[in-house]
Amino acid sequence: QVLLVESGGGLVPAGGSLKLSCAARGIIDTIYEMGWYRQAGNQRNLVATIISGHYANYADSVKGRFTISGDNAENTVYLQMNSLKPEDSGVYFCYANALTRVPEVRTADYWGQGTQVTVSS
């Protein structure tokens, strides 16, 4: 079982910045991918993820404004969001695809509870 602990959401004016953090807790063997999705209606859309601890993957809408980084030793990812726009508003969910070996060998997707980001115009 993996628990994703999120922090850093809030309310900012357009053009402002926020930094989200997500820490993965549990007996984790390997994290294959970790990052952030944003809820839009019934769908969760990619914002940014780190694959294999090194390769950053961004939605086109955030390229050049958002930066994802990670601390592999701490199983934590950070999302620095700059030049925020009202359309960036929403609930941001931390995501991880991870391998655990206790109580059984298993690779699964995990989600955080979500953190609200609101950008005022």
Side-chain angles (χ1 to χ4, degrees):
Q1 183 69 22
V2 176
L3 178 66
L4 301 179
V5 181
E6 304 155 331
S7 62
L11 170 65
V12 293
S17 298
L18 278 175
K19 186 173 184 178
L20 305 183
S21 300
C22 177
R25 298 286 181 251
I27 304 174
I28 301 168
D29 184 277
T30 305
I31 295 179
Y32 295 115
E33 185 174 9
M34 190 169 178
W36 296 92
Y37 282 70
R38 182 171 65 235
Q39 188 84 26
N42 292 327
Q43 197 170 355
R44 289 180 185 176
N45 298 319
L46 171 75
V47 176
T49 61
I50 293 181
I51 299 169
S52 299
H54 299 289
Y55 305 105
N57 183 35
Y58 295 97
D60 288 343
S61 62
V62 306
K63 286 179 180 177
R65 299 188 297 122
F66 291 12
T67 302
I68 190 167
S69 60
D71 182 335
N72 292 337
E74 296 294 328
N75 290 332
T76 300
V77 292
Y78 306 96
L79 183 67
Q80 178 65 47
M81 305 186 292
N82 297 329
S83 302
L84 281 160
K85 304 175 182 179
E87 52 264 41
D88 294 320
S89 297
V91 180
Y92 283 66
F93 290 89
C94 183
Y95 161 81
N97 178 265
L99 169 67
T100 57
R101 297 187 183 275
V102 178
E104 61 185 3
V105 178
R106 179 174 182 241
T107 299
D109 293 335
Y110 298 90
W111 294 93
Q113 292 196 337
T115 186
Q116 178 71 45
V117 171
T118 303
V119 184
S120 61
S121 56

